[in-house]
Amino acid sequence: MRNEMQIQFSALSQNESFARVTVAAFIAQLDPTLDELTEIKTVVSEAVTNAIIHGYEQNPAGIVYISVAIEDDMIDLVIRDNGVGIEDIEEARQPLFTTKPELERSGMGFTIMENFMDQIEIESHPGTGTTIRLIKNVTKNKALCN
């Protein structure tokens, strides 16, 4: 059985924690391990922060879209914006690359996403925004089953 949810919110930094908690609450039905839950919350933070800071360049009029689908033990998470887009995706995926060094950004967002998820797909075009699809297979929390 497939279960899905969608949310959208203004591109404001204070909404990043809302996104983390909402996605975590939805995927909790899979009974992920604490590490998996932490990793997914971190990935949501990174992607939402990228949309707000880089995609919309901190313009609160922008909207961040999140959809999550659960099927069996798989999480399919999509985070999308209609912002400025990414000119060179391969360059953006390089560790320590940032377009906002003046904001002391670490440039590790995509690297973190790649390390915590099983699969990542990035689609982006200048002027039309960015869509990040993240897939993770969740291991049932065995400690709670005993």
Side-chain angles (χ1 to χ4, degrees):
M1 180 177 77
R2 186 173 171 93
N3 189 5
E4 300 179 49
M5 75 101 177
Q6 297 179 5
I7 57 172
Q8 64 184 50
F9 49 88
S10 298
L12 294 165
S13 292
Q14 57 264 41
N15 287 336
E16 175 267 331
S17 60
F18 163 73
R20 284 171 55 102
V21 170
T22 304
V23 171
F26 184 73
I27 65 164
Q29 63 192 287
L30 288 179
D31 195 21
T33 65
L34 188 55
D35 285 345
E36 288 171 328
L37 196 57
T38 299
E39 289 171 356
I40 291 164
K41 286 167 64 176
T42 300
V43 164
V44 170
S45 289
E46 292 293 336
V48 168
T49 299
N50 280 354
I52 293 168
I53 291 176
H54 300 287
Y56 289 120
E57 298 181 321
Q58 299 183 325
N59 178 355
I63 302 292
V64 179
Y65 304 87
I66 298 179
S67 65
V68 185
I70 295 173
E71 192 160 2
D72 298 320
D73 293 337
M74 187 191 77
I75 298 167
D76 188 344
L77 170 64
V78 177
I79 300 172
R80 178 176 63 84
D81 67 67
N82 296 320
V84 300
I86 300 171
E87 197 165 313
D88 184 340
I89 293 172
E90 288 311 309
E91 182 180 38
R93 290 178 89 150
Q94 296 303 309
L96 305 178
F97 176 80
T98 182
T99 59
K100 305 278 186 206
E102 69 279 8
L103 298 179
E104 297 182 20
R105 309 301 305 166
S106 69
M108 295 298 289
F110 285 131
T111 302
I112 290 167
M113 290 180 224
E114 289 170 352
N115 286 330
F116 287 168
M117 302 301 280
D118 296 326
Q119 185 179 337
I120 178 173
E121 298 170 10
I122 304 165
E123 185 177 327
S124 187
H125 304 285
T128 62
T130 301
T131 299
I132 302 171
R133 183 174 183 215
L134 303 149
I135 297 173
K136 184 168 187 73
N137 287 304
V138 175
T139 309
K140 297 278 186 193
N141 191 346
K142 309 293 186 274
L144 296 177
C145 296
N146 296 330

